[in-house]
Amino acid sequence: AKKTFRNNSENKLTNLDSSNKDMKLLCKKLLLSKKHQVGIEESIDLIRQQAINTGFISNKYRRIIYQSLLQRNTADSASIVSALSTFSTNQYTNIIRLDTLRSKINSLFPNTSSINTNTNLKQSLFNFTNSFFTLNKDLHYFQGFHDITLLFFLLFDFKEEETLQFMCDISPYYFKESLNSKEDQKHFDFNSEASIIQKLIYEYDHIEGSLIHKLFPDGLFFIFPWIITYFTHNIGSIEKQLRIFDYILCSSPGAIYFICAVLIVELFKEFKLKTGEDEFDEGHMFMHFQKVDYETVEFNKILKLTEEFKSRFYKEQKSLGNLMSKEQGLLESKKNPRVTIESNYSV
């Protein structure tokens, strides 16, 4: 079952010859940088452009590129091995166990195909997800986070140690906000996040943004899992999930807000074309958003529109409150730890 999943990821390269050639050259350059222990500064623009245009095509290339972005900021290798080999409970252990039992492993590796594979993978998923929160005691687990850990478990070829190391390395950039567990913020502050997206929607398209605000005056509650699980809870396709992370990891934590805003407006335009004026109300539009078929969404197009909007927004806006605190991503930290996207784009 594992071999079939791995082969399905790699076989699609045969139809992507030109992009495959570009990816090979980029990855060869990154591997040489790693071998000679030099920085990847010269490759940053190439990585970002590839992330915007097509993504990284296959898991083989993703593993090389993702790991080249890491800085080993948190748990060291000894801590990782110790956490995985010595089971210890934390306040989230029970809910993590329940979530992994009903995870997407059941559909990816059903019991009917291989009971042992299903059971073993669930145990592995539970083990390193639980270890992640044992190592990161300042973070708060929320239901659905196991979808993210499963995604990277699949990406790193079912290797617990490698997956856990990766999760610990990216968490300071991409999970601190949503997994915050400070005393004054025990849970995800959805109202604050939704207000950011409402403003971005209006900035992306004033006309459609005004209509959306009138239709959903109480908030866009259907996007809650979009933000906190980076779409992994909503999208069935592993490839589409990774395609979004290609862009986010090479952009910034704040990119998820721009993606949500652009996707809402573009879907809203499609829904308007399909509905008559008598159906054009909050109830009907809410149902349309709830029933989105993500397999038909052209995320390459959405991400290109997102990048165009993001660049335009930062050139025109001096600030958007607390969104700026989310703009230090992996590539920016590689380029210059003291320079953020905000300072690059501010007027």
Side-chain angles (χ1 to χ4, degrees):
K2 292 182 186 178
K3 186 176 180 181
T4 299
F5 178 85
R6 189 181 302 119
N7 289 342
N8 286 341
S9 168
E10 309 302 342
N11 285 343
K12 63 180 181 296
L13 291 177
T14 54
N15 297 320
L16 296 163
D17 291 339
S18 59
S19 296
N20 188 19
K21 183 179 179 181
D22 292 339
M23 289 303 306
K24 279 184 176 178
L25 291 173
L26 175 58
C27 289
K28 184 177 180 180
K29 191 173 183 179
L30 292 174
L31 289 172
L32 283 171
S33 297
K34 182 179 180 181
K35 180 179 179 181
H36 296 292
Q37 297 183 331
V38 296
I40 63 166
E41 290 79 5
E42 293 182 1
S43 303
I44 284 177
D45 290 337
L46 288 174
I47 294 173
R48 192 193 298 277
Q49 202 57 47
Q50 194 72 39
I52 295 168
N53 291 337
T54 63
F56 301 135
I57 303 177
S58 83
N59 290 349
K60 178 176 68 175
Y61 295 146
R62 283 189 177 98
R63 285 191 287 271
I64 296 171
I65 293 173
Y66 283 13
Q67 290 182 321
S68 71
L69 301 176
L70 300 181
Q71 306 227 46
R72 295 290 180 259
N73 289 315
T74 52
D76 57 30
S77 298
S79 299
I80 294 290
V81 173
S82 176
L84 288 171
S85 59
T86 307
F87 177 75
S88 59
T89 60
N90 56 64
Q91 59 181 316
Y92 309 117
T93 297
N94 289 335
I95 185 62
I96 292 172
R97 190 185 299 280
L98 287 173
D99 280 351
T100 52
L101 286 174
R102 57 193 177 202
S103 70
K104 291 178 182 176
I105 286 176
N106 290 323
S107 57
L108 292 169
F109 305 97
N111 277 330
T112 52
S113 300
S114 173
I115 294 177
N116 288 338
T117 298
N118 180 284
T119 302
N120 292 339
L121 289 180
K122 283 178 183 175
Q123 183 59 42
S124 292
L125 179 62
F126 164 74
N127 192 29
F128 76 77
T129 304
N130 183 69
S131 298
F132 174 80
F133 286 94
T134 298
L135 287 167
N136 297 276
K137 293 181 172 60
D138 59 325
L139 300 183
H140 175 90
Y141 179 82
F142 60 80
Q143 192 171 1
F145 186 73
H146 67 288
D147 288 321
I148 297 176
T149 57
L150 174 59
L151 178 67
F152 292 119
F153 186 40
L154 295 170
L155 171 64
F156 287 105
D157 212 18
F158 313 97
K159 297 172 182 175
E160 292 180 35
E161 185 177 334
E162 200 168 341
T163 306
L164 181 55
Q165 180 71 70
F166 179 78
M167 294 292 296
C168 286
D169 286 339
I170 68 173
S171 64
Y173 297 97
Y174 297 93
F175 304 132
K176 281 289 185 183
E177 293 289 332
S178 55
L179 300 179
N180 194 307
S181 63
K182 294 185 296 186
E183 288 188 9
D184 61 342
Q185 188 180 334
K186 289 290 184 183
H187 300 286
F188 184 74
D189 185 0
F190 176 76
N191 289 331
S192 172
E193 311 301 304
S195 65
I196 291 174
I197 293 176
Q198 283 280 22
K199 181 168 182 178
L200 288 175
I201 287 171
Y202 181 76
E203 293 295 336
Y204 179 62
D205 190 316
H206 290 348
I207 297 174
E208 305 295 1
S210 297
L211 286 172
I212 292 170
H213 182 69
K214 288 178 182 178
L215 280 170
F216 301 103
D218 298 323
L220 303 160
F221 294 104
F222 56 84
I223 66 171
F224 180 60
W226 293 9
I227 303 171
I228 64 173
T229 71
Y230 292 83
F231 289 96
T232 57
H233 184 72
N234 302 86
I235 299 175
S237 167
I238 299 298
E239 177 59 32
K240 282 184 182 288
Q241 293 176 30
L242 287 167
R243 174 67 188 95
I244 292 171
F245 264 103
D246 289 347
Y247 177 75
I248 290 173
L249 292 180
C250 294
S251 183
S252 63
I256 187 65
Y257 301 89
F258 288 89
I259 294 171
C260 288
V262 171
L263 182 59
I264 288 169
V265 174
E266 294 303 317
L267 288 175
F268 184 65
K269 291 177 182 177
E270 291 181 17
F271 298 155
K272 281 174 62 180
L273 294 174
K274 297 176 182 177
T275 58
E277 289 191 18
D278 59 325
E279 294 183 310
F280 198 62
D281 57 40
E282 180 181 0
H284 282 91
M285 295 311 294
F286 182 80
M287 290 304 296
H288 277 297
F289 277 107
Q290 287 287 80
K291 295 180 179 179
V292 173
D293 181 1
Y294 294 95
E295 298 308 308
T296 64
V297 175
E298 296 180 32
F299 276 101
N300 277 339
K301 174 186 173 183
I302 294 296
L303 295 177
K304 286 179 183 178
L305 289 172
T306 298
E307 181 64 19
E308 292 170 5
F309 168 49
K310 197 166 180 282
S311 298
R312 170 169 59 86
F313 176 84
Y314 281 117
K315 287 175 182 176
E316 296 173 354
Q317 300 286 328
K318 290 185 178 180
S319 177
L320 185 56
N322 61 348
L323 180 62
M324 292 309 180
S325 68
K326 311 174 196 301
E327 285 306 295
Q328 178 76 10
L330 286 172
L331 278 184
E332 279 63 49
S333 66
K334 282 284 187 182
K335 205 167 189 177
N336 185 336
R338 296 183 298 276
V339 176
T340 66
I341 289 182
E342 175 191 0
S343 59
N344 289 341
Y345 283 105
S346 290
V347 175

